[in-house]
Amino acid sequence: ELAVTTHQKKKAILSLSGGMDSSTMLGEMKVRSDYLDVLGAYMFTYGSKHNRHEIKAASEVAGWYNVPFRVIDLTVAFAGFRSDLMASGGALPHGHYEAESMRKTVVPGRNTIFASVLAGLAESVGADEVWLGIHAGDHHIYPDCRPEWLTAMNHTVMLSSESKVRLTTPFLHKTKKDIVYIGSRIRVPYDLTRTCYSEDEVACGKCGSCVERREAFMLNGLVDPIQYQYTGP
């Protein structure tokens, strides 16, 4: 007589900004539906220039994948934070995403705060994992996207939850090019996503985030399905 082992599905929530990384991550999670239940997608409003565009994109991507979606307003908590990514900050820098000027878009402690809120939510709704879409392209500029931050933060989350919750970052060592490669094969709806940091209706094509996205599609020999104001080199 054969013994049958039943593996209980893992339960997870994710941070969904409506950008390429988190949208591809959600696509990956749904591919794993045989052993992973996605309980919900969450995004944060915190006073950034592009927040209203992120809400629309994240809502549409969550709807595409039929995942419950919730927006969490942290605007009051972030009041006074200094960054050119914020509506209260200066003009967005243009150029390559690893240029030193991009440091002006760092929002101090943003991912630490987001991860803490998500960890508490995960424990409250019975999720085992919090999925974050940080990737290798973020390591140079953003301190709270680096492997050493993740190690420390995951340790903190596991201690605070008595090991009931952990952070999962499938793209930690993947580039944007890798992410587009993965997403194109699982048919992520990139036409619904929003990557640009500007407050303009149409993506600017010049900010570090746009440049990184455009480069990723180009390196994969693919056409980016969204519109840009600037499409030059």
Side-chain angles (χ1 to χ4, degrees):
E1 186 176 340
L2 296 176
V4 178
T5 303
T6 302
H7 295 284
Q8 188 173 3
K9 277 189 177 184
K10 288 284 188 182
K11 297 176 182 176
I13 63 172
L14 73 147
S15 179
L16 181 67
S17 70
M20 275 181 30
D21 310 324
S22 60
S23 298
T24 305
M25 182 175 67
L26 177 53
E28 275 279 281
M29 296 172 83
K30 297 299 282 186
V31 166
R32 306 179 191 201
S33 61
D34 284 349
Y35 53 91
L36 183 70
D37 274 337
V38 184
L39 301 186
Y42 299 83
M43 81 153 291
F44 299 92
T45 55
Y46 56 96
S48 75
K49 289 179 169 71
H50 61 312
N51 254 163
R52 67 188 181 93
H53 300 302
E54 287 186 310
I55 293 172
K56 179 177 183 293
S59 175
E60 290 180 355
V61 170
W64 173 274
Y65 286 110
N66 195 29
V67 170
F69 175 68
R70 176 182 164 194
V71 177
I72 299 171
D73 189 354
L74 294 179
T75 307
V76 173
F78 277 79
F81 280 46
R82 298 183 66 179
S83 169
D84 286 349
L85 193 65
M86 306 291 282
S88 58
L92 280 174
H94 290 166
H96 196 269
Y97 56 93
E98 288 193 356
E100 287 304 302
S101 61
M102 291 302 122
R103 292 191 186 278
K104 294 179 180 180
T105 65
V106 172
V107 179
R110 180 181 63 173
N111 283 348
T112 302
I113 295 167
F114 289 178
S116 298
V117 173
L118 289 166
L121 283 168
E123 189 171 353
S124 298
V125 302
D128 310 291
E129 300 173 346
V130 173
W131 286 51
L132 305 174
I134 59 179
H135 71 288
D138 293 331
H139 297 174
H140 177 64
I141 297 297
Y142 302 103
D144 53 2
C145 289
R146 294 172 186 161
E148 54 267 37
W149 171 83
L150 175 65
T151 299
M153 194 69 206
N154 193 38
H155 182 62
T156 300
V157 166
M158 292 187 73
L159 285 175
S160 70
S161 67
E162 296 184 315
S163 297
K164 291 191 287 290
V165 178
R166 65 176 295 120
L167 304 180
T168 299
T169 54
F171 302 146
L172 183 65
H173 299 292
K174 302 287 187 185
T175 65
K176 203 78 150 188
K177 174 188 174 184
D178 298 329
I179 292 170
V180 170
Y181 178 85
I182 292 166
S184 65
R185 277 149 183 77
I186 58 174
R187 299 185 179 182
V188 173
Y190 286 134
D191 58 307
L192 302 180
T193 61
R194 170 77 179 195
T195 298
C196 183
Y197 281 161
S198 80
E199 56 193 328
D200 298 342
E201 291 295 329
V202 177
C204 71
K206 289 184 175 182
C207 70
S209 193
C210 279
V211 169
E212 186 183 27
R213 175 179 175 136
R214 292 176 58 207
E215 181 183 71
F217 274 93
M218 180 190 71
L219 292 172
N220 277 285
L222 298 172
V223 175
D224 190 338
I226 70 166
Q227 288 185 311
Y228 291 98
Q229 296 177 44
Y230 173 78
T231 56

